[in-house]
Amino acid sequence: MIKKIYIAGPLFNVHEKKYLEDIAEVLEGADFDCFLPHRDQTGIDPEELKNNDMSQATKDIIFQTDIEALEAADLVVALVTGQDIDSGTASEIGFMYANNKPVLAITAEERRYRNLFTEGMFTKTVKNVGEILNAIESFNS
């Protein structure tokens, strides 16, 4: 039964973050417990997250928080847009796949070929946010 969802995706601009937040809004509206890395980090000065020169302590907290959230998650929902699948997103996909947990990929209706190795780890692919809940329901049946 899917209850906890880790939302993965690129975090390089406001548009990408907003799309991930839209995904979280839909899932949380359906009573799923979601972890969104750029929103749900704890123990970090928010100003340091805006800085490209983070301390090692901050990097360690981010890594540990993300690992714990992935371990607790029943599913990863991954936004797989861009020139290539974001390296962090690909790592999160690989972690879930290696731990025999499902991966739901969202293409955001982009038309391009994906890294076929990473794509092989997707349990299911949807085109947009409106298809997420039906896809998750298929995991629970």
Side-chain angles (χ1 to χ4, degrees):
M1 179 68 111
I2 306 292
K3 293 182 181 180
K4 292 187 177 210
I5 300 174
Y6 186 106
I7 302 170
L11 300 169
F12 298 109
N13 59 53
V14 173
H15 173 76
E16 291 167 342
K17 289 177 185 177
K18 175 68 173 125
Y19 201 95
L20 296 170
E21 290 162 7
D22 290 347
I23 293 167
E25 185 176 324
V26 167
L27 293 171
E28 290 167 344
D31 292 326
F32 290 102
D33 179 12
C34 296
F35 179 82
L36 188 53
H38 73 278
R39 180 191 72 182
D40 298 328
Q41 290 293 332
T42 57
I44 298 173
D45 177 359
E47 288 303 310
E48 192 169 3
L49 290 177
K50 296 176 186 176
N51 185 353
N52 285 333
D53 188 28
M54 289 183 218
S55 69
Q56 187 60 50
T58 295
K59 292 175 187 178
D60 292 345
I61 291 169
I62 291 169
F63 174 77
Q64 193 58 44
T65 302
D66 288 356
I67 284 290
E68 289 170 4
L70 285 164
E71 288 172 337
D74 302 308
L75 167 74
V76 70
V77 172
L79 181 60
V80 294
T81 58
Q83 185 61 33
D84 197 8
I85 296 171
D86 170 64
S87 60
T89 304
S91 296
E92 292 155 334
I93 290 166
F95 181 94
M96 293 298 275
Y97 181 82
N99 284 281
N100 298 310
K101 295 183 180 184
V103 174
L104 176 61
I106 301 177
T107 65
E109 302 188 35
E110 251 186 0
R111 289 187 234 159
R112 67 177 74 218
Y113 292 100
R114 312 249 174 259
N115 176 301
L116 296 178
F117 180 76
T118 305
E119 187 171 333
M121 296 182 204
F122 301 166
T123 309
K124 185 170 273 208
T125 302
V126 297
K127 293 179 183 175
N128 57 57
V129 177
E131 297 176 354
I132 294 173
L133 294 177
N134 284 337
I136 293 172
E137 189 174 306
S138 75
F139 296 134
N140 285 330
S141 50

